[in-house]
Amino acid sequence: IHGIAFSSDGDQLAIGSANGSIRVVNPRSGKTVWNLCCHTGSVLGMAFIGDNSLLASVGRDGKLAVWNSVSNPFGGVIA
């Protein structure tokens, strides 16, 4: 585990890894909600944004990605 981020309502927990993947889980049930793959290096940081519908991540590859963590987790890399 290279980083974690909780949504402000506590309904989602994002877990970043050394291989660049992100797993979003429901911390109450432990069930995986989404598995995201976007970074070619380790995940350096993540944060849920606003109403918790967006998850931003940055990786060692220098890329920033923003994901819709509610309806479409397969967002895009911004920069």
Side-chain angles (χ1 to χ4, degrees):
I1 296 175
H2 273 243
I4 62 169
F6 273 99
S7 60
S8 62
D9 59 9
D11 288 342
Q12 298 180 86
L13 169 64
I15 304 165
S17 70
N19 70 2
S21 67
I22 299 169
R23 188 167 63 123
V24 179
V25 300
N26 178 314
R28 291 179 184 89
S29 69
K31 290 187 178 183
T32 298
V33 179
W34 305 110
N35 281 307
L36 309 170
C37 296
C38 76
H39 298 288
T40 56
S42 58
V43 176
L44 298 178
M46 298 165 294
F48 285 93
I49 303 169
D51 64 356
N52 300 313
S53 65
L54 298 176
L55 172 66
S57 65
V58 65
R60 187 165 301 282
D61 57 8
K63 302 220 187 274
L64 168 69
V66 178
W67 313 90
N68 183 322
S69 64
V70 175
S71 62
N72 178 11
F74 306 105
V77 173
I78 301 298

